[in-house]
Amino acid sequence: MKNDPGYKMKTITIETHFSIFESIQELPKDIQRLMLEAISTRKTAYAPYSNFKVGVALELDNGEIILGSNQENAAYPSGLCAERVAVFYAGAKYPEAKITKMAISAASENTTTGAPIPPCGACRQSIAEYEIKQNSPIEIYFMGEIGSIYKSDSLKNLLPLLFDKKFL
């Protein structure tokens, strides 16, 4: 079919947009507080294998702040990323609340992480489930140990062709 001169392949273009803050001080005050919570929580991570620590702070529409850090295990698939720790706890503790904002900070014990570190694929899928469930976007701010912070207005910006219940 591709060799047929009349064949016209269709293409789609997907664009993502991020706001970039050069430092924590440039963030709105409420997000500064949330990011500082994520940085502090990062220090509670249990990461003896990867030496890569991640902290997350979620803000819920009821005003609650939920914290999470990554928790590793010698049987690697048994560990859990910080984002899922926080999102799943929020879903269990406050099932009717909506997640409005998420701050993520990641740091390696082996090198300084200066680039913003976004959620991994599994975490993106888990966050997507909650964004779809609550029918409202989740603002996601992410950074490394130092440097710029990226803001995504929605998880859909990080995972534009997401898999959800409509495919089941």
Side-chain angles (χ1 to χ4, degrees):
M1 190 151 205
K2 285 185 179 181
N3 295 332
D4 177 354
Y7 176 74
K8 298 213 184 231
M9 181 175 64
K10 293 181 182 180
T11 62
I12 61 169
T13 301
I14 298 172
E15 293 184 14
T16 58
H17 300 275
F18 298 93
S19 300
I20 301 172
F21 300 88
E22 294 303 322
S23 70
I24 292 174
Q25 292 73 29
E26 285 187 13
L27 293 168
K29 293 292 182 200
D30 62 327
I31 304 304
Q32 283 183 33
R33 189 186 91 241
L34 207 59
M35 187 59 77
L36 292 173
E37 290 274 7
I39 291 167
S40 178
T41 301
R42 184 183 75 211
K43 297 170 186 163
T44 69
Y46 178 68
Y49 307 105
S50 71
N51 295 312
F52 190 77
K53 296 184 173 192
V54 181
V56 171
L58 306 178
E59 182 175 284
L60 305 180
D61 65 351
N62 64 8
E64 293 289 331
I65 303 295
I66 304 297
L67 306 175
S69 60
N70 55 315
Q71 304 295 310
E72 294 181 351
N73 190 291
Y76 287 127
S78 299
L80 201 57
C81 297
E83 296 89 337
R84 286 180 283 157
V85 167
V87 167
F88 293 162
Y89 180 74
K93 177 93 173 161
Y94 302 102
E96 301 306 316
K98 293 181 179 183
I99 301 167
T100 58
K101 299 174 182 81
M102 173 183 286
I104 306 164
S105 177
S108 171
E109 292 181 2
N110 302 323
T111 185
T112 301
T113 54
I117 311 280
C120 74
C123 288
R124 291 177 197 203
Q125 185 63 43
S126 295
I127 297 164
E129 186 71 23
Y130 282 82
E131 196 170 88
I132 292 164
K133 173 188 169 216
Q134 68 188 34
N135 196 29
S136 61
I138 299 170
E139 291 179 11
I140 303 172
Y141 297 80
F142 54 95
M143 67 178 294
E145 182 178 4
I146 60 169
S148 300
I149 299 105
Y150 283 15
K151 175 196 176 200
S152 177
D153 291 329
S154 168
L155 185 279
K156 291 177 184 173
N157 192 45
L158 290 165
L159 189 64
L161 297 175
L162 62 90
F163 177 85
D164 67 18
K165 62 186 174 187
K166 72 180 175 230
F167 294 112
L168 300 177

